[in-house]
Amino acid sequence: MKWYQDKILWWIFVSAVLLKLLALAHLYFINPLGEQALIFPDSLGYIYPAQTWLTYGQFWEAVSATPLLMRTPGYPVFLALTQWLTHSATWGIVIVQNILSLILLLPVYVTTLRLADRTAARWAAGFCAASVLYFSLSFAVLTETVCVFLLAWFVFFAIRWLQTLRVWDMFAAAIFLGAAVYVRPAVYYFVPVSFVLLGIFILYKKSRTLAKQTALCFILPLVVGIGAWQLRNHIQTGYNGFTSVGAYNLYVWNADYVAKQSNLSVPQAQRMLLAFLPPDFNSRQAPDQVREYKRLAAPLLKKSKWHKLTHLPVWAGKTLLGTNHVHLVRLAFGYEDEKQAEKTLNQTGILPRPWLSSAADKFLFLLAFLQVGLVALLGITGFIFLWKTRRLATLFLMTYTGYFWLIGSCFFGAYARFRAPFEFVLCITAGLAAATLLSRWKKS
């Protein structure tokens, strides 16, 4: 039976469609925030370059005529094309993102079908459709939904390539991975990780043909595709890297340590770090700015390494089990976060206490936490079951999940949104675990 002949999959899909339509109607007609619930502090960094691209044919940094360097152009292009098609910079974006989040069920379903049986694939699609994280992020003008959509297809083609070794699957995996890099810079560093994994696999297979295919159909498209933006950066700014956000984060992500040492709040510490920049910083060339970020970050990183190491388990827990509650209550009840906008998606505390004031808040939090906890528990269990039958695929999925979990948990702002790139993998393995446990229970 083909995937499109599965009636249960279509029931899951239709249920998700109805839920999203209800949420969209509630947000548009009832929620007092309206389209403001869709906009976040980071949104302007993507909307502005999208507008400059539509108007002037060039990507500029937010509220300036400086060439785009901090952000990458993938999401601004998505915003620009969607706005051009829908004539809306907010509602049109959210509608298209919700469509993508619905289509996301397909790569999750067919990937699970490759690894297990149809029952597991249905469970995986169901877990993905019920994800509170993906549901809420599809109502945000932020990169996660588009990036996850691209990464899910990358994982599907990578898994299929491991089983078939067909050139087309490898090439398709490279295209989707490269596109995801352009949407979210965190994916950039997974490219060399994937090269290492492929190198180990080629050595294991001892195949020159496989090595040539990898060089031509995976490495070359990624190097050329990613290198095109780096060449643009070099020509327009003199900076040879893909984005300057890494250097910026190396410096600013020390705010929690500075806050602890100086007895300040984290936002105060962030403002203090930015105030330490030289007076002429904004007028400097991009390479000089990057070097200055790294120079100022070096002593802080050295001093805070023990602080970061001891806090990593807590941050990892927040990434894995975060509920995105502040965003959820904004969507559900229209809560304003006033001067705490930076906490909407990046909670610095373990629990969102200021937003657990009413019974409705607590019920929503509990419901979301149960969903997240169940997927995490079953997802980890599913890796164990999958290891017994498909070890190569398990190694790839574990490396993929581990990479994004680690890179999303290495600083104080770690929270649910950084789980987005790998939650769909947990849905896949959770589906496998649910199907296996249910089968065992029936037999017993």
Side-chain angles (χ1 to χ4, degrees):
M1 182 170 64
K2 302 292 185 180
W3 66 266
Y4 51 82
Q5 296 174 323
D6 190 343
K7 293 181 179 179
I8 294 179
L9 173 64
W10 284 111
W11 276 110
I12 295 170
F13 183 84
V14 170
S15 299
V17 169
L18 293 176
L19 183 61
K20 285 180 176 293
L21 287 175
L22 286 173
L24 189 63
H26 167 80
L27 189 61
Y28 189 83
F29 294 107
I30 300 174
N31 193 309
L33 293 179
E35 68 177 6
Q36 289 304 309
L38 315 174
I39 305 297
F40 300 91
D42 286 353
S43 299
L44 181 62
Y46 303 106
I47 294 173
Y48 186 83
Q51 300 298 326
T52 63
W53 187 57
L54 284 174
T55 306
Y56 304 104
Q58 296 181 357
F59 296 104
W60 294 347
E61 289 284 7
V63 197
S64 74
T66 305
L68 185 68
L69 192 62
M70 184 79 73
R71 305 294 184 187
T72 46
Y75 195 60
V77 168
F78 168 78
L79 295 180
L81 293 177
T82 305
Q83 182 181 346
W84 179 68
L85 290 171
T86 65
H87 304 286
S88 171
T90 51
W91 296 110
I93 303 299
V94 163
I95 289 172
V96 174
Q97 287 186 170
N98 273 277
I99 292 172
L100 292 181
S101 71
L102 289 168
I103 301 174
L104 177 65
L105 302 182
L106 177 56
V108 169
Y109 180 90
V110 293
T111 302
T112 313
L113 205 56
R114 287 238 158 220
L115 299 172
D117 58 15
R118 195 168 301 278
T119 303
R122 291 165 175 170
W123 276 103
F127 285 132
C128 189
S131 168
V132 293
L133 179 64
Y134 290 157
F135 178 84
S136 60
L137 288 176
S138 62
F139 288 94
V141 183
L142 292 168
T143 59
E144 276 76 13
T145 299
V146 177
C147 184
V148 168
F149 178 81
L150 296 169
L151 287 173
W153 284 109
F154 158 69
V155 168
F156 165 70
F157 283 110
I159 292 294
R160 195 165 76 170
W161 176 79
L162 283 174
Q163 296 175 344
T164 64
L165 297 183
R166 290 188 303 195
V167 172
W168 157 248
D169 291 325
M170 174 179 281
F171 181 73
I175 296 301
F176 280 105
L177 181 60
V181 170
Y182 270 83
V183 173
R184 195 157 180 82
V187 187
Y188 179 83
Y189 302 102
F190 186 74
V191 173
V193 173
S194 65
F195 290 169
V196 172
L197 290 176
L198 276 170
I200 295 172
F201 183 69
I202 291 169
L203 289 175
Y204 172 74
K205 288 289 187 178
K206 298 179 181 178
S207 171
R208 290 186 178 180
T209 301
L210 187 60
K212 293 176 182 178
Q213 290 177 352
T214 300
L216 292 174
C217 299
F218 191 82
I219 296 176
L220 183 62
L222 282 169
V223 170
V224 171
I226 296 172
W229 184 252
Q230 295 188 201
L231 179 62
R232 173 266 186 192
N233 290 342
H234 173 75
I235 294 171
Q236 293 195 10
T237 70
Y239 177 62
N240 295 323
F242 189 73
T243 170
S244 63
V245 72
Y248 172 83
N249 289 335
L250 276 179
Y251 179 56
V252 175
W253 282 1
N254 293 288
D256 61 326
Y257 174 74
V258 173
K260 181 182 177 181
Q261 296 299 112
S262 305
N263 196 25
L264 300 170
S265 68
V266 171
Q268 287 174 329
Q270 286 179 322
R271 288 192 289 271
M272 187 174 76
L273 286 172
L274 293 176
F276 281 154
L277 295 172
D280 64 338
F281 181 80
N282 290 329
S283 62
R284 292 185 180 184
Q285 295 296 315
D288 292 336
Q289 291 182 350
V290 170
R291 281 193 292 269
E292 187 66 20
Y293 279 135
K294 292 179 179 179
R295 185 186 70 81
L296 292 172
L300 290 173
L301 291 171
K302 187 176 180 179
K303 293 176 183 178
S304 65
K305 60 184 177 183
W306 180 248
H307 169 84
K308 295 184 184 302
L309 187 62
T310 54
H311 282 74
L312 183 60
V314 176
W315 297 338
K318 287 164 59 182
T319 302
L320 183 64
L321 300 174
T323 59
N324 205 29
H325 183 71
V326 182
H327 187 194
L328 284 176
V329 294
R330 285 189 79 195
L331 293 172
F333 309 125
Y335 288 177
E336 278 282 14
D337 49 13
E338 299 175 350
K339 296 181 180 180
Q340 304 187 66
E342 72 277 358
K343 292 185 177 181
T344 304
L345 293 171
N346 293 329
Q347 275 291 306
T348 55
I350 295 178
L351 289 175
R353 297 185 189 279
W355 292 271
L356 290 173
S357 56
S358 68
D361 298 344
K362 295 173 183 176
F363 176 75
L364 183 61
F365 176 79
L366 180 62
L367 196 66
F369 184 76
L370 288 174
Q371 184 272 321
V372 172
L374 179 64
V375 169
L377 179 62
L378 287 176
I380 294 171
T381 306
F383 277 116
I384 299 172
F385 291 146
L386 187 61
W387 176 257
K388 297 177 181 179
T389 56
R390 299 188 182 277
R391 295 197 172 185
L392 276 176
T394 307
L395 285 172
F396 166 70
L397 292 177
M398 288 180 67
T399 303
Y400 174 92
T401 302
Y403 166 83
F404 283 105
W405 189 8
L406 179 62
I407 204 170
S409 305
C410 61
F411 78 115
F412 64 90
Y415 198 52
R417 65 182 293 201
F418 298 109
R419 186 177 68 249
F422 67 89
E423 182 169 307
F424 72 89
V425 175
L426 292 179
C427 291
I428 291 171
T429 54
L432 190 149
T436 303
L437 293 172
L438 185 62
S439 176
R440 292 181 179 180
W441 178 75
K442 286 181 178 180
K443 289 180 180 179
S444 66

